[in-house]
Amino acid sequence: AAGARLVKARGFTLIEVLVALAIVVVGIGALLGSMTSAADTTIYLRDKTFAQWIAFNRIAEVRLKGVLPAKGKTKGEVNDFAGRRWHWEQDVQPAAVPGTLRVDVSVRPAEIAEASKGSWYATETGLMGDAVDYVSAGTDIFDPERGKVEGESQGDGDHDQ
């Protein structure tokens, strides 16, 4: 064949294709690992937020009773918060200010054992005591426009009503 010429084919060898494929697989594996880690972190932060809400709710419940809680530790459970069960532990101790108690509430999911390290997802602190009076309906209220206190229980007899 007079016009026939041998043309050498140009392209990738099988080894070059396999090396490129291996690099792509390693990259995708690293990406998936990173995405899984981000998802786990998001789930943990969601649960930590729920634990904080439960702790703050427990502190609010203690304050709303209007009676100082007994000193020491108590434990309890919240049966359904965000579709899960939660355990809480409350520790009431005297605070630095006389007549004030420090209320620490720690919360963890019920399925996590108490003995495991880092089992408490959140610990929140509140203060209460008889050193400060509670404000409720019918008590004295300061009127900033007049610069005077109005209310029922003022001791000097000067009432603006």
Side-chain angles (χ1 to χ4, degrees):
R5 284 197 271 168
L6 291 176
V7 178
K8 188 172 181 179
R10 293 212 146 138
F12 295 106
T13 64
L14 181 59
I15 297 216
E16 290 173 329
V17 171
L18 289 177
V19 168
L21 188 58
I23 291 171
V24 169
V25 167
V26 168
I28 289 175
L31 179 65
L32 288 176
S34 175
M35 290 174 59
T36 301
S37 175
D40 289 344
T41 300
T42 301
I43 290 168
Y44 172 75
L45 291 175
R46 179 201 64 195
D47 290 346
K48 184 175 174 73
T49 301
F50 289 153
Q52 288 175 321
W53 288 348
I54 292 168
F56 286 133
N57 286 347
R58 179 66 196 145
I59 291 169
E61 288 173 10
V62 169
R63 286 179 174 161
L64 288 173
K65 285 182 182 176
V67 178
L68 293 178
K71 294 176 186 141
K73 290 188 177 187
T74 55
K75 295 182 179 188
E77 185 174 293
V78 176
N79 286 324
D80 186 22
F81 191 90
R84 293 175 76 182
R85 286 182 354 162
W86 301 81
H87 288 197
W88 56 262
E89 181 178 281
Q90 172 181 299
D91 186 16
V92 179
Q93 298 299 325
V97 176
T100 305
L101 296 174
R102 176 184 168 137
V103 181
D104 294 322
V105 178
S106 299
V107 180
R108 65 179 166 77
E111 65 269 11
I112 295 179
E114 184 174 354
S116 66
K117 184 179 180 187
S119 65
W120 298 110
Y121 275 33
T123 299
E124 302 300 334
T125 300
L127 296 172
M128 68 177 297
D130 55 10
V132 178
D133 194 12
Y134 294 96
V135 176
S136 62
T139 60
D140 297 340
I141 298 173
F142 180 75
D143 183 356
E145 291 180 9
R146 292 191 197 163
K148 293 185 178 184
V149 175
E150 297 181 6
E152 304 170 0
S153 61
Q154 191 167 349
D156 62 3
D158 182 21
H159 296 336
D160 291 330
Q161 294 182 358

